[in-house]
Amino acid sequence: MIIKQVLNEEIGCGFVIGRPDANNLKAKLIKSVNIVAYVYSGHKFWDRNEIDLKDIAGERLVVMNERHYIYQDILNACSLNGFAPDIVARVAEGESIKNLVKNKIGIGIAPRFFEDDDKIKAINIKDAQSWDVYAIYRHDSIDKDLAKKLISCIL
C-alpha cells in the first residue's frame, strides 16, 4: 500500500519493511532488527543463546499473521529446512506474541522488539533473516529534498 502511494505520488515519503523492487524509488535502510525465537522460562531453549531453524520443528509457534511479510518468510524458511511449522497462533502485533509466549502457548518468532526478563527471552536463530525498515521516495519527486531531509533527521 505504502509503495503504491509513493509511486503514485500520493505521499512523498513512506516507510516499508524490506527493500522494494521498483526502479524509480530510492530506498534508505533506517533500521535492521534480528528475527529471534522468544521462549518462556522453563522452555528447553531457555538456557541457549542460539538455535538452528531446524530446532523449531515440532515446536508450537506464535507468529505475526498473514498480513505481515514475515509470516510467509517463516513458512518458506521452514519449508526449505524440510518441515512445516506448527503455528498455533497468528497475531496482528508483537505485544500479543509476547503475552502468548509468557502464557506458554508456544514460542514466538518475531523481530527482536522486547527486552528479556525473568518470564521471556529472545534466542538468536542462526542464519535468520533480518527485519529491515526502509524509508522510500521517488527519485524524481517534487518532494525528494524534503524526503531526504526527513530521512537525515531520523538517522
Side-chain angles (χ1 to χ4, degrees):
M1 179 78 164
I2 298 297
I3 295 171
K4 183 178 177 183
Q5 289 176 312
V6 172
L7 287 171
N8 292 337
E9 297 189 84
E10 296 170 31
I11 57 176
C13 183
F15 297 93
V16 297
I17 306 302
R19 185 179 191 91
D21 187 24
N23 291 335
N24 53 343
L25 286 182
K26 289 283 190 180
K28 181 71 176 172
L29 180 64
I30 301 296
K31 185 159 181 89
S32 185
V33 180
N34 290 335
I35 304 297
V36 296
Y38 285 103
V39 299
Y40 49 85
S41 178
H43 188 276
K44 66 182 180 182
F45 297 153
W46 182 260
D47 293 325
R48 294 177 63 181
N49 293 321
E50 186 175 71
I51 59 173
D52 288 313
L53 187 63
K54 289 180 181 181
D55 292 336
I56 69 169
E59 293 289 329
R60 295 168 47 90
L61 302 181
V62 178
V63 300
M64 302 299 284
N65 67 27
E66 296 88 342
R67 295 187 58 156
H68 301 273
Y69 92 95
I70 191 172
Y71 175 80
Q72 194 60 49
D73 286 348
I74 291 168
L75 292 180
N76 291 341
C78 292
S79 177
L80 288 171
N81 280 275
F83 69 95
D86 181 11
I87 297 173
V88 296
R90 295 173 184 90
V91 301
E93 84 293 319
E95 191 67 30
S96 293
I97 289 178
K98 181 179 179 181
N99 291 330
L100 290 169
V101 172
K102 278 187 177 182
N103 286 300
K104 301 182 178 183
I105 301 302
I107 65 173
I109 306 296
R112 188 178 179 109
F113 290 138
F114 309 109
E115 295 295 320
D116 295 348
D117 62 32
D118 60 336
K119 294 183 180 178
I120 185 174
K121 82 176 217 179
I123 309 292
N124 290 323
I125 302 172
K126 242 185 251 181
D127 300 324
Q129 294 181 339
S130 57
W131 190 76
D132 299 328
V133 179
Y134 284 87
I136 60 169
Y137 62 93
R138 283 180 61 124
H139 66 80
D140 60 351
S141 170
I142 194 167
D143 295 326
K144 71 180 176 191
D145 291 332
L146 187 58
K148 288 178 186 178
K149 191 176 240 183
L150 172 66
I151 294 166
S152 70
C153 288
I154 293 170
L155 297 175

